Amino acid sequence: MSDIDPLAPTAVAPDGTPPLLAQTFDADRVTEIRHTVTACAEAAGLDGTRLDDFVLAINELITNAVRHGGGRGWLRLWRTGQTLYCLVSDTGGGIGTARLDERRRPAPEIAGGWGLWLARQLSDEMLVESGPEGTTVRISAGLGGGPEPTPPSG
């Protein structure tokens, strides 16, 4: 884990960018945080299915933090260029290496184990740092914004 306390209220995004959102959460705030993330991500330029997918991925991460990561966590959302990032940290006991290395879809009859898999599937990139003092997951979603397509000539 980094030297920055992931639950420190003054923490900024890892690249020093001022966050669009920096919030602590617990079980009572999951729904509120999800709605706030939706509004911030939409204002940052994410829309349609990409917005829905990114918010669902974040919801899975904050739910995991509450259920498995000590009951509370810290979320930071920021934009760098044409990418939207979300960092979710908790103070739980960490995630085992075997679980982190698992890339297969969970069996449909299994009630748990879907959170990390879904977050990985619904975001462009997912990085996880985990140890006995907690877990931090960073996901990203591209906003597009490339050059305008050239209209066909003719």
Side-chain angles (χ1 to χ4, degrees), residues 64-73 90-93:
N64 277 356
V66 168
R67 288 184 181 159
H68 310 294
R72 64 189 184 105
D90 66 47
T91 58

Side-chain angles (χ1 to χ4, degrees), residues 120-144:
R120 187 173 281 114
Q121 299 304 308
L122 297 173
S123 59
D124 292 345
E125 179 184 38
M126 184 171 96
L127 302 172
V128 182
E129 186 176 339
S130 189
E133 66 279 354
T135 298
T136 298
V137 180
R138 186 186 84 183
I139 60 172
S140 65
L143 299 171

Side-chain angles (χ1 to χ4, degrees), residues 66-104:
V66 168
R67 288 184 181 159
H68 310 294
R72 64 189 184 105
W74 180 258
L75 178 140
R76 288 184 292 282
L77 183 73
W78 74 100
R79 178 181 175 171
T80 301
Q82 290 299 309
T83 305
L84 189 61
Y85 294 94
C86 183
L87 194 75
V88 176
S89 300
D90 66 47
T91 58
I95 303 169
T97 304
R99 179 74 187 105
L100 287 176
D101 291 341
E102 181 59 55
R103 297 291 192 263
R104 289 178 292 164

